[in-house]
Amino acid sequence: MGSTSNMSALARKSTLPFSGFLVVLLLIFLFALSVRNDGSSENPALPNSSSAVKEAAGRQGKVLQREIDRIHYVFGPPTSNSAEYGGWIFFPNLLHKDAVIYSVGLGADMTWDLHMMQQYRTVVHGFDGTPAHLAWYKQNKHLFDNKVFRRNFFHHPAVLVEKDGIIDMALPSQHSVSYSIQEANAIGFKQGTVTRVQGKSLETIMNELHHSHVDILKMDVEGAEYSVLSTFRKDQLVCQVLVEFHDRLVPNGVEARDKAVKHLIDLGFTPAVVSYSDSADPDGAVTFVHYENCCAIRPKPCRFVESFFSM
């Protein structure tokens, strides 16, 4: 009797994990099915003010929402390094020990870059060749003289542009650090601030650094983002693009932004998180995620649930 009771107890113990596993499978299936059917799951990270981005994407709300739900569910919730200046929203579960991060347009603030290195132990390649940044970086380099920066940060005195070459840049009116390309002339430039800077395309940068993919591309390039994004290609393996749009700096800025967003959508990117105000200072940040590229770079989060979303 004792042996039989012990065997029964062991049988009950062995069935509990399996039954729990079935419950988890059922919940995942029901969630995926609900997203497939109506895309109605709430996404607090996508505010109503993003209607312009939705329209630019050329997608119906349900379809876009379903893609956003899939990204949030498979990759987990997004996060931000800060709620104040220098804060950027990204999906941390997609990071890994060999993650490739490009931080373009450093200016006089490297809060995000430091956060990524300290919190996630990632390597960050920072790009900025403008005079104000180089002077600030030289003056404050002692602040970066620590083990984390020496091991994880690589500084590149160049700017990201649509094609390689020396470009003219200047400080827009009311700016003190952040330079813009000459085409971003909607509010004019400060006199005497024109400078020549080495510009490199994304393709050139990836080839020079021998990178086959980019996990996060963060761009704060004061109006150059529109032309840069227009050069993105399907064969470039980029997972997350964090970009700040500067509509006020570019003639026909809203149209330029909508065109750039539509191009990214056509390539398979989804505006997963939108922080866009229509105030007097309309600069807004958008986090784009390319689901297929992310899964190709980091397949582990995708394998278990991907089949449910393709049913």
Side-chain angles (χ1 to χ4, degrees), residues 189-202:
F189 295 105
K190 290 183 177 180
Q191 292 185 350
T193 61
V194 176
T195 186
R196 310 204 80 190
V197 181
Q198 175 66 55
K200 295 183 179 182
S201 67
L202 178 61

Side-chain angles (χ1 to χ4, degrees), residues 5 11 15 79 124 154 230 233 290:
S5 62
T15 57
T79 187
V124 175
F154 295 88
S230 69
R233 305 192 313 265
H290 196 297

Side-chain angles (χ1 to χ4, degrees), residues 150-217:
R150 288 195 298 269
R151 181 184 59 194
N152 292 30
F153 185 74
F154 295 88
H155 186 264
H156 305 273
V159 295
L160 177 63
V161 291
E162 57 181 317
K163 60 182 180 180
D164 300 341
I166 303 298
I167 63 169
D168 291 332
M169 303 186 73
L171 278 175
S173 299
Q174 303 176 357
H175 281 213
S176 59
V177 176
S178 302
Y179 279 69
S180 295
I181 58 174
Q182 292 288 291
E183 291 77 10
N185 58 7
I187 65 173
F189 295 105
K190 290 183 177 180
Q191 292 185 350
T193 61
V194 176
T195 186
R196 310 204 80 190
V197 181
Q198 175 66 55
K200 295 183 179 182
S201 67
L202 178 61
E203 180 180 13
T204 296
I205 291 173
M206 292 180 67
N207 287 337
E208 289 182 350
L209 297 178
H210 305 290
H211 291 152
S212 60
H213 70 274
V214 178
D215 293 84
I216 295 181
L217 171 58

